[in-house]
């Protein structure tokens, strides 16, 4: 125990901290500009000087660790005179533009000058002009105080090195940046203590005292589930702010979280219920719209039975909404035809892990990736798709010297941090995982306890061995398009000392054999030693996908993954709901969209844009007798609806999201729903009530019911979900290793024609679907679909790369689209990278509809002359 005094206030410390932190613990603020708790010590601003009683020497508080017996004074005349001197030097070049600086009111320089004053000897204004090279970030180096926080955060935390160095002297000193490296995370804005680096989204419009509503909530754009603060004024969101390093989000946000906050403000929001009449939509009252929905659903049930109705929910919805929808479909409608968009990939990961080690047997924390010594990133690009997971990967590589293996077929920004990069053939990542298992077994690098484990099913190890060896290593590697030496190197890296992390995503789970490939990855994890050796991280693309699965928005599972075929589980849920639960598994998303239903209720899922075979999906939906779509924007799917119900956005409602590490976190409304829009849960409950089974909507009440009916969520309620949320399972169950059911490996994807390409329909850093396409800042960065080629392929196609605008036609057997072409060295040869978020670009029409939710598909490309 370390006993010290700060301004005569006694303090006991269990571990040494510097004097800035120690003082903060007793409520004393020692001024500082260059010090930041998440960054290395710079120690140059000299404003944090303090005294030790009895010693004439002044000490920089940021560089002085608390030692037993220290008696620290932070505010003598001598210290304050030094502070006035420091501030005077800063002000001697600082522009007098506080009236127009958005930092006013939260500027360290302004605040300290107000507190201590400033001895300005001579004034010579900096001649630096604001720089607008970055579409989202203003850099005004005339205001810079040379603290170098931006340089350090970009290098030490983000590993992007955009801020290169300070050049020049005195008033002309400035920071040189390399904008080509910027991923627009805005972390530099967050750490800048003054107005030198600011968001262009709110330029000249932001002041802290403008805010009339502020809450801490969860970013809705990807499965990382970063916590952030949203600030609003007069019903409009005006800023998103990252939290500290201990919060989910690791102290940062990606570009979507920091600059995509304005989606709820969009003028394109649906604000009134719409009913289709004579081929067009007319505005309706809620009573008219809900009455029509209840009446038509009841008529269709009466005529064709409950199984003629189906429902889908997408990735923008809360757990409580997904729970209520599946309960409504099962009890009010009377069918198990309920699914969610995780069917396109993430559910394969969950089922593969469940069928191997059990989801209740472990927890993998995103921040734990930073502790790994070896990492396999397979079939996902966390730097773009789940950027805070990507941040943890970068931390591991840069700070923990982790060896990163990146295996993918398409463009993957993680490659630039990789020790080993494997360009795998499209659709064969499962083969690579199996090849690595084969090497681990052959070289004796596997977890030996598997041979005798009493917690494994009988014969587990021999089944695993037989599976790995059923195909020779040479054949597995040939299928995957990698050398045997590559597989051996990867296996040895992963089996080496230290913790591992296996991160996988849609490249695996949304491939033609998504479940089988995910199972191979899960078996690789188990072979290495499972949770004892490291974490496994299935990446959810959307904030609500994990939760929708957990809540039982699935055709064959009840809340908490209880099987619908289990009479006892059905009985348990039926007792809780006081209603019958249908016995037969329902249709999944693909089954529902292959025709045969009479009515569908689609919430927050633009399936026409997102699913393979967009035209086929649109045809199926058009042929329904009745389609209800509930969303925040007029999506391609909503355009086909008979009734469109306007829903509240993430910032306008309460509930919880569960991120891909299975952390349940609370979201809270910061503004009222725009127009006449309503929270999805309220709409579902109102329809159920009109149909004769009254339901109530209050997010906290539904949360209580979830905790009773969903075993992994037992005991999780709003009151417990504080700053970090709660990861499920709350209580770990013993791991029971299983070999998993039959894998159902299908035919895979068609080979590309000679000289042809595989289209890689990939998420991008700047978008995550329907919502982000309405974010002004994100559209500045990526406003439309494009086709990106490797430079060699571009040259082969006849592109000079000389800045000309080139358009290409991308054709498959099912469709053809024309896009602007780009040249991108990070796209592998033979691949055309096409971001998949742009509705209306017709991307989904390039792939036939059906179960093969192929992330890659063979296409031909022609340049348009
Ligand atoms: Fe975090 Fe994902 Fe939101 Fe980015 S999009 S801020 S990584 S939750």
């Amino acid at each position: 125990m370390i006993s010290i005094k700060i301004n005569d206030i006694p303090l006991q410390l269990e571990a040494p901290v510097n004097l800035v932190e120690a003082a903060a613990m007793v409520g004393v603020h020692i001024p500082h500009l260059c010090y930041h708790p998440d960054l290395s010590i710079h120690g140059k601003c000299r404003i944090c000087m303090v005294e030790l009683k009895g010693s004439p020497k002044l000490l920089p508080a940021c560089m002085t660790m608390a030692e037993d017996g220290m008696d620290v004074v932070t505010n003598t005349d001598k210290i304050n005179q030094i502070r006035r001197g420091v501030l005077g030097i800063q002000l001697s070049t600082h522009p007098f533009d506080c009236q127009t600086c958005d930092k006013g009111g939260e500027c360290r320089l302004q605040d300290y000058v107000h507190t201590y004053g400033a001895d300005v000897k001579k004034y010579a204004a900096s001649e630096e002009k604001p720089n607008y090279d970055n579409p989202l970030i203003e850099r005004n180096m005339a205001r810079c105080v040379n603290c170098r926080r931006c340089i350090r955060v970009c290098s030490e935390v983000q590993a992007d090195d955009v801020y290169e160095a300070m050049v020049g002297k005195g008033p002309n000193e400035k920071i040189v940046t390399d904008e080509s490296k910027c991923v627009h995370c805005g972390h530099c804005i967050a750490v800048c203590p003054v107005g030198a680096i600011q968001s262009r989204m709110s330029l000249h419009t932001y002041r802290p005292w403008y805010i009339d509503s502020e809450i801490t909530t969860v970013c809705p754009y990807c499965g990382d589930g970063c916590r952030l603060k949203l600030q609003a004024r007069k019903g409009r969101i005006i800023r998103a702010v990252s939290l500290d390093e201990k919060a989910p989000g690791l102290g940062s946000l990606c570009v979507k979280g920091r600059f995509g906050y304005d989606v709820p403000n969009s003028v394109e929001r649906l604000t009134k219920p719409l009913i289709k009449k004579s081929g067009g939509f007319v505005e309706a009252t809620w009573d008219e719209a809900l009455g029509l929905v209840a009446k038509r659903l009841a008529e269709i049930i009466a005529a064709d039975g409950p199984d003629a109705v189906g429902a889908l929910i997408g990735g923008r919805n809360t757990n409580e909404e997904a729970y209520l929808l599946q309960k409504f479909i099962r009890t009010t409608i009377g069918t198990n035809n309920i699914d969610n968009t995780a069917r396109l990939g993430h559910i394969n990961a969950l089922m593969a892990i469940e069928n191997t080690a059990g989801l209740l047997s472990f927890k993998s924390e995103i921040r734990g990736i930073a502790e790994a010594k070896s990492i396999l990133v397979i079939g996902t690009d966390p730097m773009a798709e789940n950027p805070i997971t990507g941040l943890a990967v970068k931390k591991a590589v840069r700070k923990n010297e982790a060896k990163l293996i990146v295996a993918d077929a398409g463009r993957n920004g993680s490659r630039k941090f990789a020790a080993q990069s494997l360009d795998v053939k499209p659709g064969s990542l499962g083969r690579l995982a199996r090849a690595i298992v084969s090497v681990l077994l052959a070289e004796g690098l596997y977890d030996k306890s598997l041979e005798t484990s009493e917690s494994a099913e009988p014969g587990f190890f021999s089944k695993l061995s037989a599976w790995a060896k059923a195909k020779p290593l040479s054949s597995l590697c040939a299928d995957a398009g990698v050398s045997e030496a590559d597989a051996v190197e990867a296996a040895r890296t992963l089996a080496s000392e230290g913790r591992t992390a296996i991160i996988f995503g849609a490249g695996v789970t949304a491939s033609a054999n998504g479940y089988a490939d995910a199972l191979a990855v899960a078996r690789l994890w188990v072979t290495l030693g499972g949770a004892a050796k490291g974490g496994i991280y299935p990446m959810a693309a959307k904030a609500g996908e994990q939760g929708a699965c957990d809540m039982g928005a699935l055709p064959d599972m009840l809340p908490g993954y209880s099987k619908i075929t289990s009479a006892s589980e059905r009985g348990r849920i039926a007792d809780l709901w006081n209603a019958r639960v249908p016995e037969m598994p329902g249709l999944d998303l693909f089954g529902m969209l292959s025709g045969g239903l009479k009515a569908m209720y689609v919430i927050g899922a633009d399936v026409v844009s997102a699913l393979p075979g967009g035209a086929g999906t649109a045809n199926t939906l058009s042929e329904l007798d009745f389609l209800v779509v509930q969303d925040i924007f007029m999506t391609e799917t909503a355009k086909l609806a008979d009734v469109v119900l306007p829903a509240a956005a993430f910032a306008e409602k309460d509930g919880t999201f569960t991120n891909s590490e299975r952390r349940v976190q609370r979201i809270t409304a910061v503004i009222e729903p725009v127009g006449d829009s309503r929270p999805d849960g309220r709409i579902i409950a109102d329809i159920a009530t009109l149909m004769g089974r009254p339901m109530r909507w209050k997010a906290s009440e539904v949360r209580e019911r979830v905790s009773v009916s969903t075993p992994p969520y037992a005991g999780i309620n709003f009151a417990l979900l504080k700053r970090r949320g709660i990861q499920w399972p709350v209580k770990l169950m013993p791991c029971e290793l299983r070999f998993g059911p039959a894998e159902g490996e299908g035919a895979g994807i068609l080979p590309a024609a000679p000289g042809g390409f595989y289209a890689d329909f990939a998420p991008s850093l700047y978008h995550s679907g329907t919502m982000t396409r309405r974010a002004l800042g994100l559209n500045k960065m990526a406003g439309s679909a494009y086709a990106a080629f490797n430079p060699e392929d571009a040259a082969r196609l006849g592109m000079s790369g000389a800045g000309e605008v080139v358009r290409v036609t991308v054709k498959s057997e099912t469709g053809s689209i024309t896009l602007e072409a780009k040249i991108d060295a990070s796209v592998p040869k033979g691949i055309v990278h096409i971001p998949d978020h742009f509705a209306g670009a017709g991307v989904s029409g390039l792939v036939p509809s059906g179960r093969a939710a192929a992330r890659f598909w063979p296409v031909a490309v022609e340049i348009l002359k």
Side-chain angles (χ1 to χ4, degrees):
M1 191 68 77
I2 301 163
S3 299
I4 64 168
K5 280 189 189 166
I6 310 263
N7 296 347
D8 294 327
I9 308 168
L11 173 65
Q12 304 273 316
L13 294 166
E14 285 181 6
V17 293
N18 68 32
L19 295 181
V20 174
E21 298 297 334
M25 290 178 193
V26 292
V28 173
H29 178 76
I30 296 177
H32 53 277
L33 291 168
C34 66
Y35 172 71
H36 190 286
D38 300 339
L39 304 176
S40 64
I41 300 287
H42 184 50
K44 291 286 192 304
C45 77
R46 307 318 256 186
I47 200 171
C48 69
M49 300 307 249
V50 294
E51 274 180 41
L52 296 185
K53 270 189 191 168
S55 165
K57 219 172 121 196
L58 296 179
L59 299 169
C62 68
M63 298 174 78
T64 308
M65 299 301 283
E67 286 177 19
D68 199 37
M70 273 183 172
D71 197 347
V72 184
V73 189
T74 71
N75 56 0
T76 63
D77 287 347
K78 188 172 158 193
I79 291 170
N80 290 343
Q81 191 181 349
I82 286 180
R83 288 180 185 154
R84 280 194 295 278
V86 168
L87 292 166
I89 291 168
Q90 291 296 349
L91 283 198
S92 66
T93 58
H94 200 89
F96 291 130
D97 63 353
C98 293
Q99 308 93 320
T100 55
C101 177
D102 289 348
K103 198 76 174 181
E106 54 184 18
C107 170
R108 287 265 165 114
L109 186 60
Q110 192 181 75
D111 292 348
Y112 293 158
V113 170
H114 276 278
T115 306
Y116 301 104
D119 294 333
V120 181
K121 304 271 188 248
K122 191 173 150 205
Y123 183 72
S126 166
E127 288 164 15
E128 274 301 307
K129 298 276 175 288
N131 177 306
Y132 296 104
D133 288 348
N134 192 304
L136 298 176
I137 301 170
E138 179 203 50
R139 298 201 177 89
N140 190 338
M141 288 302 135
R143 297 176 184 150
C144 176
V145 292
N146 203 354
C147 68
R148 300 185 184 224
R149 285 186 181 191
C150 54
I151 299 177
R152 284 177 288 151
V153 82
C154 197
S155 166
E156 295 170 12
V157 178
Q158 295 291 339
D160 291 321
D161 302 319
V162 174
Y163 292 84
E164 294 188 324
M166 305 287 292
V167 297
K169 287 232 176 303
N172 296 320
E173 191 171 38
K174 65 175 180 182
I175 290 175
V176 177
T177 56
D178 180 349
E179 298 299 338
S180 69
K181 294 179 180 170
C182 183
V183 295
H184 309 97
C185 66
H187 210 158
C188 49
I189 298 172
V191 299
C192 180
V194 293
I197 304 175
Q198 300 200 65
S199 167
R200 292 182 65 182
M201 294 280 293
S202 53
L203 217 51
H204 309 314
T205 61
Y206 180 85
R207 288 291 183 279
W209 54 86
Y210 283 179
I211 299 160
D212 57 29
S213 177
E214 175 178 282
I215 45 99
T216 300
T217 188
V218 179
C219 171
Y221 297 133
C222 91
D224 278 355
C226 301
R227 270 187 103 59
L228 48 70
K229 201 190 286 175
L230 284 183
Q231 299 173 330
R233 171 180 167 80
K234 294 186 178 169
R236 294 174 67 79
I237 316 288
I238 60 169
R239 192 166 72 158
V241 182
S242 47
L243 305 184
D244 64 47
E245 204 277 334
K246 292 185 186 66
L250 311 183
S252 188
L253 292 171
C254 80
V255 62
K256 294 186 278 278
R258 195 175 309 273
F259 295 104
Y261 58 80
D262 59 335
V263 168
N265 305 343
S266 170
V267 292
E268 293 181 57
R269 283 286 300 279
L270 291 168
T271 56
K272 297 265 184 214
L274 302 170
I275 294 176
K276 197 171 273 171
K277 289 183 180 162
S278 310
F281 285 115
V282 292
E283 288 184 0
T285 65
W286 273 105
D287 284 349
E288 287 166 341
L290 294 178
L292 179 61
V293 172
K295 176 172 160 281
R296 291 294 291 127
L297 290 178
E299 285 171 356
I300 288 167
I301 294 168
D304 300 285
D307 289 333
V309 181
L312 289 174
I313 189 161
R316 70 162 177 80
N317 290 97
T318 63
N319 293 332
E320 292 70 25
E321 291 161 352
Y323 178 85
L324 213 62
L325 178 69
Q326 60 85 34
K327 185 179 172 193
F328 165 73
I329 290 296
R330 291 189 158 114
T331 58
T332 310
I333 303 291
T335 178
N336 283 315
N337 291 340
I338 166 82
D339 206 358
N340 77 87
T341 47
R343 181 67 50 196
L344 297 174
H346 190 60
I347 189 67
N348 287 329
L350 299 180
M351 289 304 97
I353 295 170
E354 171 66 8
N355 292 333
T356 306
L359 288 163
L360 294 172
S361 71
F362 72 98
K363 296 180 193 179
S364 297
E365 274 203 274
I366 291 172
R367 67 177 55 244
I369 295 169
E371 311 298 320
K373 278 290 180 193
S374 59
I375 301 173
L376 173 63
V377 164
I378 179 166
T380 184
D381 177 7
M383 306 305 161
E385 298 165 40
N386 295 85
I388 295 304
T389 298
L391 182 62
V393 171
K394 289 191 278 188
K395 272 192 179 174
V397 170
R398 219 168 240 209
K399 291 202 170 157
N400 205 30
E401 296 176 354
K403 279 196 172 171
L404 171 65
I405 306 162
V406 175
D408 207 345
R411 181 186 182 282
N412 196 314
S414 304
R415 284 198 177 96
K416 89 174 189 207
F417 301 97
Q420 188 186 10
S421 183
L422 300 170
D423 285 350
V424 181
K425 278 188 196 163
S428 60
L429 290 163
R431 293 300 168 107
L432 174 69
R434 190 163 159 186
I436 298 174
V437 173
S438 173
V439 175
L440 292 171
L441 294 174
E443 297 203 353
L445 298 172
Y446 58 94
D447 173 15
K448 303 294 185 308
S449 73
L450 293 176
E451 293 174 33
T452 53
S453 172
E454 288 182 6
S455 62
E457 71 174 23
F460 173 82
F461 186 70
S462 40
K463 286 182 197 166
L464 182 74
S465 305
W467 167 75
K469 291 174 189 162
K471 272 197 138 206
L473 179 63
S474 56
S475 160
L476 289 170
C477 289
D479 285 354
V482 301
S483 70
E484 288 179 52
D486 281 336
V488 169
E489 184 184 339
R492 288 176 184 168
T493 300
L494 292 171
S496 59
E497 264 197 29
R499 288 189 67 76
T500 56
I502 297 182
I503 303 166
F504 67 117
V508 173
T509 60
S511 73
N513 295 312
Y515 173 70
D517 289 352
L519 200 59
V521 173
R523 286 176 183 164
L524 167 58
W525 174 61
V526 163
T527 307
L528 284 164
K533 174 80 166 99
I536 186 163
Y537 300 88
M539 294 286 97
K542 301 277 166 58
E545 282 186 352
Q546 175 73 45
C549 296
D550 297 348
M551 295 300 106
L554 297 166
D556 52 349
M557 295 196 207
L558 292 161
Y561 303 98
S562 311
K563 290 201 167 46
I564 200 86
T565 48
S566 160
S568 60
E569 281 303 312
R570 278 199 319 276
R572 184 178 71 82
I573 293 288
D575 287 347
L576 287 169
W577 290 350
N578 193 23
R580 182 185 159 269
V581 176
E583 296 166 26
M584 294 297 294
L587 295 170
D588 69 10
L589 176 149
F590 293 109
M592 286 187 248
L593 292 174
S594 59
L597 293 182
K598 297 286 183 191
M600 285 191 74
Y601 183 11
V602 179
I603 300 182
D606 184 9
V607 285
V608 172
S609 302
L611 253 61
T617 307
N619 282 343
T620 305
L621 294 176
S622 306
E623 283 165 11
L624 292 168
D625 287 356
F626 189 63
L627 173 64
V628 192
V629 172
Q630 188 168 305
D631 218 319
I632 60 175
F633 293 112
M634 180 56 77
T635 63
E636 296 302 303
T637 305
K639 287 176 188 168
L640 304 172
D642 296 287
V643 177
V644 177
L645 302 173
F650 63 95
E652 301 159 355
K653 59 188 181 183
D654 293 344
T656 58
F657 280 136
T658 303
N659 73 0
S660 50
E661 62 180 346
R662 294 184 260 146
R663 184 178 302 281
V664 187
Q665 298 186 80
R666 184 164 178 192
I667 70 162
T668 312
V670 65
I671 54 174
E672 292 295 316
V674 303
D676 285 349
S677 66
R678 292 180 176 176
D680 293 273
R682 178 177 168 194
I683 305 171
I684 298 164
D686 286 349
I687 297 171
T689 303
L690 285 172
M691 292 183 73
R693 280 200 70 87
M695 277 187 182
R696 254 171 67 87
W697 170 249
K698 192 161 182 234
S700 56
E701 288 178 11
V702 178
R703 157 77 17 230
E704 295 296 335
R705 278 177 261 147
V706 167
S707 75
V708 173
S709 57
T710 312
Y713 283 62
I716 297 179
N717 59 41
F718 270 10
L720 288 175
L721 299 175
K722 302 216 172 99
R723 281 184 72 231
R724 298 196 57 205
I726 295 179
Q727 232 183 331
W728 75 259
V730 179
K731 188 166 166 247
L732 287 176
M733 303 299 283
C735 175
E736 291 172 16
L737 290 177
R738 300 180 281 266
F739 188 65
E743 294 146 36
E745 246 179 63
I749 58 175
L750 296 172
F757 289 84
Y758 280 104
D760 171 15
F761 307 110
S764 83
L765 171 62
Y766 298 102
H767 290 287
S768 74
T770 306
M771 289 195 287
T772 56
R773 290 197 308 266
R774 270 78 174 192
L776 298 177
L778 302 179
N779 279 339
K780 260 196 201 179
M781 299 309 306
S784 58
Y786 57 85
F789 298 88
N790 178 277
E792 284 185 37
D793 287 334
R796 179 162 65 86
L797 287 166
M799 291 179 225
S800 72
E804 72 210 308
V805 176
V806 175
R807 294 180 73 74
V808 290
T809 302
V810 182
K811 282 186 198 158
S812 74
E813 66 207 29
T814 56
S816 163
I817 57 172
T818 299
L819 299 168
E820 191 172 316
K822 290 189 179 180
I823 301 175
D824 181 342
S826 62
V827 176
K829 278 191 275 180
I831 297 289
V832 45
H833 167 84
I834 304 176
D836 65 353
H837 303 299
F838 297 98
V843 173
S844 65
L846 291 174
V847 184
S849 52
R851 220 157 261 281
R855 165 82 180 261
F856 295 92
W857 203 253
V859 291
V861 177
E862 279 173 22
I863 187 164
L864 290 179
K865 295 287 183 193

